[in-house]
Amino acid sequence: MCGIVGYVGDSGSTLDVLLGGLSNLEYRGYDSAGVAVGGETLRVEKRAGELETLEAAVGSADRRRFEGPVGLGHTRWSTHGPPTDENAHPHTDEDGRVAVVHNGIVENYRDLRDELEAEGVAFTSETDTEVVPHLIARELRGEADPEAAVRAATERLEGSYALAVVIEGIDALFAARQDSPLVLGVGEGESFVASDVPAFLDHTRDVVYLDDGEFVRLDPGGWTVTDAEGRQVEKPVHTVEWEAEETGKSGYDHYTLKEIHEQPRSLRQCLSGRLDELGGRVTVEELDGIDAPASVQFVACGTSYHAALYGAQLLRDRGTPATAHYAHEYATAPAPIADGDLVIGVTQSGETADTLSALREAAGRGAETLVLTNVVGSTAARECDHAVYIRAGPEIGVAATKTFTSQLVGLNLLAARLAGGDRQRDLVDALRRVPDDVQAVLDESGAASVVEAFADSEAFFFLGRGLGYPVALEGALKFKEITYEHAEGFAAGELKHGPLALVTGETPVFAVVTGDGEAARKTIGNVKEVEARDAPVVVVTDGAAEAGRYADHVLEIPETDPRLAPLLANVQLQLVAYHRAARLDRSIDKPRHLAKSVTVE
């Protein structure tokens, strides 16, 4: 969950590189931040709060204290202990000779802490991480060389970790990975280690993806990767296609708003080369050679779970049995798997711990696995039998926006390719138009004025049926994430089975009503039910069912294929959440208690 950056290179720029990297990683956690710069001496500075608090602390200090050829930094999402100066990373040993940053959870930290305290070690934090520098220091006192000391310490750890370590007097950085993401950046005369590529994208786009159990040494002469037994591992260098400018705000007030407005471009990228418009077919090169599955099980969490619900419905509509499961439940209670079943993980980062566990469980039971992800070289992409990329580009805002719409488009491609059928031409035509349709929503949305009409409301309901149901859930989630106000999403037909008791004249209801079929007519019936209880109603609609006649406010979307109408409705709901959060002056890009890539279970 946390953000790690490490650097070996020009001693005059180490601090600036670390602070810049942390700024690009704040979406991974922002409870506290810290840096350590090493060389002949080791200097550490860390503070509770967002990165600007740390920047002020090092800015007011003598910056010559932070000159050195090697350093590491950390921005934290709290797991063990609240966000305080003492619990912030880096953590050090008692003599201040070893500094460590960590992402993940050391499951046996209590036993290790008891062991170290019995030897007289005094701890200064409540974190699980602090056992690591003390273990390393103990090995160093036993005259182990630095690399051997770090290896010996990591061998004692149980759980998940991405670790980076600097040691006083050593112009090198050591790092290790187990069930938590870690990548190398390879530059000219400098090397980087980080939990995600944006940390060093300002300096290099050449990346090495590390695997579990691998150990890294960075020094001024370059980098070396070895396995658990110390054998050197040859690793390929990949070039990331993102440009550094893509991780900036480009003049928008928030990354979230920028990424909402980037959706026409991200959808074009997702579709590029995947539509045979002349033949009216979907072509997905990554799926060449895969057989049509007997049934499909989706595993995912959060926003990606809503996409999985949508994908399962798409496949069922085409005649393929499909179910969606919360990954954290599937990992401990998996669904039965039969010959010919396909398990699909949906994960933006490809590093979501629960989803990885579910995919590994499925693979261990003999299932074929596929991941729909945004990140080339991610753990899920490397471990699954197949990987399909949504190509949304970097998403910095913690609340997923453009990655969700790209997932929905990617799932339409998957369903068309896996389930086949004779409805491809209409879908291909609609997919070709969908970037322009999204642009029309962005250009013409009245979401900002709708939000103003409900300035005094404190609870919001979102309703949908069929493919509109996952979008209602996502609309409520987005609203909760960035406004901090109460919002719930419901299958429209469920409203009368209990939740209607909560509806009042102060409870705005957003209803997704697209097309003019039975689902639309029944959803209009549910709209009338809440209207009878004096609830104000907003319909998000293409106008086909004339649902606007029954609403206080209408958010319009262009007419399109029924499978893609919910995607356009989702864009309107994204704008509703954004404008409400902006009106309340919330921390939109960095919602409290949340982080972008959830790498702990």
Side-chain angles (χ1 to χ4, degrees):
M1 207 84 98
C2 309
I4 290 172
V5 59
Y7 174 72
V8 177
D10 181 0
S11 62
S13 63
T14 299
L15 181 61
D16 292 334
V17 171
L18 297 177
L19 293 175
L22 292 180
S23 177
N24 291 337
L25 290 178
E26 273 201 290
Y27 61 90
R28 296 185 67 90
Y30 30 87
D31 293 336
S32 59
V35 293
V37 177
E40 293 183 8
T41 59
L42 181 64
R43 284 78 58 197
V44 176
E45 194 75 52
K46 55 184 184 173
R47 290 287 188 275
E50 296 189 8
L51 180 60
E52 60 189 24
T53 307
L54 173 66
E55 290 174 329
V58 296
S60 62
D62 180 0
R63 287 180 69 93
R64 287 176 298 180
R65 291 176 50 224
F66 296 96
E67 292 179 359
V70 57
L72 48 79
H74 188 272
T75 179
R76 181 175 184 242
W77 184 83
S78 302
T79 54
H80 289 70
T84 63
D85 289 354
E86 292 77 15
N87 289 334
H89 296 218
H91 289 286
T92 63
D93 66 316
E94 290 180 289
D95 297 329
R97 293 185 55 217
V98 179
V100 173
V101 295
H102 167 227
N103 185 15
I105 293 179
V106 180
E107 295 175 357
N108 63 332
Y109 89 98
R110 186 69 261 178
D111 292 339
L112 293 171
R113 182 166 179 147
D114 289 345
E115 175 186 316
L116 290 161
E117 286 179 330
E119 296 174 3
V121 173
F123 282 74
T124 60
S125 80
E126 302 167 70
T127 69
D128 55 337
T129 303
E130 196 185 347
V131 299
V132 181
H134 294 304
L135 289 171
I136 294 171
R138 183 171 67 181
E139 295 294 328
L140 291 172
R141 288 193 297 272
E143 298 187 355
D145 69 72
E147 182 171 333
V150 177
R151 281 185 179 277
T154 57
E155 288 171 2
R156 297 291 312 280
L157 307 181
E158 298 175 7
S160 62
Y161 54 81
L163 288 169
V165 181
V166 293
I167 299 172
E168 184 179 77
I170 306 297
D171 292 351
L173 182 151
F174 306 97
R177 166 199 169 131
Q178 183 64 47
D179 292 331
S180 196
L182 201 63
V183 296
L184 301 185
V186 181
E188 298 250 346
E190 55 187 4
S191 302
F192 307 81
V193 64
S195 47
D196 207 352
V197 170
F200 50 71
L201 205 55
D202 291 330
H203 305 277
T204 182
R205 293 193 293 132
D206 291 338
V207 177
V208 175
Y209 297 105
L210 299 176
D211 292 306
D212 286 344
E214 291 182 337
F215 185 92
V216 184
R217 177 179 178 130
L218 306 181
D219 55 39
W223 52 276
T224 305
V225 178
T226 50
D227 64 16
E229 283 71 44
R231 297 182 295 253
Q232 188 165 338
V233 180
E234 296 298 324
K235 304 288 291 187
V237 178
H238 302 270
T239 299
V240 174
E241 294 182 1
W242 303 344
E243 298 290 346
E245 303 82 66
E246 292 186 63
T247 61
K249 290 183 183 176
S250 302
Y252 288 93
D253 290 338
H254 299 94
Y255 284 111
T256 301
L257 184 61
K258 173 190 176 236
E259 287 155 6
I260 289 172
H261 280 267
E262 283 180 337
Q263 289 176 118
R265 184 176 77 170
S266 61
L267 293 175
R268 288 189 181 95
Q269 291 172 174
C270 182
L271 291 167
S272 178
R274 291 169 166 172
L275 299 180
D276 177 2
E277 296 183 43
L278 187 62
R281 297 182 303 109
V282 167
T283 59
V284 183
E285 183 179 345
E286 296 97 318
L287 296 179
D288 287 349
I290 190 171
D291 294 328
S295 70
V296 172
Q297 298 172 11
F298 287 93
V299 291
C301 303
T303 287
S304 294
Y305 174 71
H306 299 155
L309 285 171
Y310 173 92
Q313 184 67 56
L314 286 177
L315 284 168
R316 289 196 298 270
D317 288 346
R318 287 179 172 269
T320 298
T323 53
H325 306 263
Y326 283 115
H328 38 81
E329 296 293 329
Y330 188 98
T332 55
I337 292 172
D339 288 344
D341 287 351
L342 176 67
V343 177
I344 300 177
V346 185
T347 160
Q348 184 278 137
S349 66
E351 303 290 353
T352 308
D354 294 313
T355 306
L356 287 171
S357 293
L359 288 166
R360 289 164 180 163
E361 175 67 26
R365 293 161 58 99
E368 190 172 14
T369 57
L370 182 150
V371 66
L372 183 74
T373 184
N374 193 37
V375 182
V376 177
S378 60
T379 301
R382 297 197 308 273
E383 291 188 3
C384 285
D385 298 311
H386 311 277
V388 175
Y389 298 106
I390 62 172
R391 305 172 181 166
E395 185 176 66
I396 305 302
V398 167
T401 53
K402 67 177 182 177
T403 54
F404 180 65
T405 53
S406 291
Q407 285 173 340
L408 298 193
V409 165
L411 287 163
N412 271 282
L413 298 173
L414 278 173
R417 178 64 180 79
L418 295 176
D422 57 2
R423 292 182 287 171
Q424 299 238 1
R425 184 170 292 281
D426 287 347
L427 177 63
V428 167
D429 290 343
L431 286 169
R432 178 182 54 79
R433 295 193 311 270
V434 77
D436 291 334
D437 289 342
V438 170
Q439 188 64 59
V441 172
L442 295 171
D443 292 342
E444 301 168 14
S445 176
S449 60
V450 167
V451 164
E452 288 300 318
F454 304 127
D456 297 326
S457 299
E458 295 182 353
F460 301 79
F461 283 2
F462 296 76
L463 308 180
R465 282 178 183 265
L467 291 173
Y469 169 53
V471 166
L473 294 178
E474 176 61 15
L477 177 61
K478 213 54 50 194
F479 202 91
K480 283 183 271 197
E481 285 179 318
I482 65 175
T483 71
Y484 311 157
E485 293 190 305
H486 182 74
E488 292 296 334
F490 299 101
E494 278 296 296
L495 195 66
K496 59 185 176 290
H497 295 289
L500 198 59
L502 299 173
V503 171
T504 71
E506 300 300 318
T507 313
V509 176
F510 291 80
V512 177
V513 186
T514 59
D516 60 355
E518 184 178 8
R521 292 192 293 273
K522 287 183 178 293
T523 305
I524 289 173
N526 302 126
V527 166
K528 293 177 181 178
E529 290 170 359
V530 298
E531 275 194 322
R533 276 78 179 174
D534 298 322
V537 174
V538 182
V539 294
V540 187
T541 183
D542 53 13
E546 298 185 348
R549 295 170 54 191
Y550 310 100
D552 299 282
H553 302 274
V554 177
L555 293 173
E556 296 182 351
I557 62 171
E559 289 188 41
T560 186
D561 187 282
R563 289 162 285 194
L564 296 176
L567 182 155
L568 303 180
N570 169 72
V571 177
Q572 287 283 22
L573 296 180
Q574 290 174 345
L575 292 167
V576 166
Y578 175 81
H579 288 299
R580 179 70 175 183
R583 189 184 190 282
L584 296 170
D585 197 27
R586 302 302 194 211
S587 179
I588 293 174
D589 290 332
K590 296 179 282 188
R592 66 188 181 196
H593 309 319
L594 302 180
K596 186 73 176 171
S597 179
V598 185
T599 56
V600 294
E601 293 182 79

